[in-house]
Amino acid sequence: EKGPENPENTQCAVRIDPSKTINRLDFGFGFEDDPFFYTDENAAHGLTEADYKIKEDRVRQLQPDLVRCFIWWNAFNPSHDLQTIDLSNTYGQSLLRTLQFYKDLGVPVILCDVQWGFGGDDFRYSTSHVNQSPYLLAGIVDQLYRVYGFDNIRWVTLCN
């Protein structure tokens, strides 16, 4: 190892000592998951329940302590009125299935709002959208938490 005892060594070794915490706020091992994995669009490209099971089994093997999911709020506001929330479409149903999967595993979730166009959507953002979108996002989170019971949603990022 390079260090005071051997300054000429050019190799580097990394050791992780799990008994030491780098940060008091360390939540453990986490990753990002796509909450639109279960959509009709993916099924149209050939994904089946067998594929979903492979993904879910891999997640179970990883035993995450935390997961982050992006959400495009306009996927849940197809009217683009920045008020009406619709979780009945394929994106909403996929999000609900994803959140239920992590709730069943006891994994807390961070929802992360993104502020760019969605799926070839012609809907564009302006100052009024930026000013109103946090309210729409709050409404989505409120429904997910209160109506659907996803108390595993612990954090929300307003804009990625």
Side-chain angles (χ1 to χ4, degrees):
E1 287 183 32
K2 188 172 184 173
E5 302 84 27
N6 192 3
E8 304 305 317
N9 191 344
T10 58
Q11 293 183 359
C12 179
V14 175
R15 280 184 286 201
I16 298 173
D17 183 350
S19 68
K20 296 182 181 179
T21 302
I22 297 169
N23 180 329
R24 290 184 330 140
L25 298 177
D26 180 28
F27 295 109
F29 172 73
F31 57 83
E32 184 172 296
D33 194 359
D34 180 357
F36 294 165
F37 185 69
Y38 304 104
T39 62
D40 294 341
E41 291 170 337
N42 284 337
H45 289 286
L47 286 178
T48 66
E49 285 297 321
D51 299 305
Y52 302 149
K53 184 177 181 330
I54 290 170
K55 176 219 175 191
E56 292 168 356
D57 287 346
R58 288 175 178 168
V59 169
R60 284 185 193 94
Q61 288 175 347
L62 290 171
Q63 300 177 344
D65 298 300
L66 177 69
V67 70
R68 172 177 145 154
C69 292
F70 278 94
I71 61 169
W72 287 261
W73 53 259
N74 48 334
F76 312 116
N77 179 234
S79 66
H80 299 167
D81 64 1
L82 297 168
Q83 296 176 15
T84 307
I85 299 167
D86 181 4
L87 297 174
S88 68
N89 61 34
T90 187
Y91 307 109
Q93 294 303 298
S94 183
L95 174 64
L96 296 175
R97 182 171 173 174
T98 301
L99 292 173
Q100 187 64 55
F101 174 70
Y102 287 111
K103 181 177 180 177
D104 292 345
L105 291 179
V107 177
V109 172
I110 301 171
L111 288 182
C112 181
D113 180 33
V114 293
Q115 299 286 324
W116 58 73
F118 173 76
D121 199 344
D122 287 334
F123 186 48
R124 298 293 177 248
Y125 301 93
S126 69
T127 304
S128 65
H129 298 136
V130 171
N131 291 338
Q132 288 180 282
S133 66
Y135 296 103
L136 179 64
L137 179 62
I140 293 169
V141 172
D142 185 61
Q143 274 198 30
L144 292 171
Y145 192 88
R146 292 177 194 251
V147 176
Y148 293 96
F150 292 118
D151 55 0
N152 57 323
I153 298 171
R154 302 279 172 79
W155 304 275
V156 176
T157 302
L158 288 178
C159 182
N160 185 54

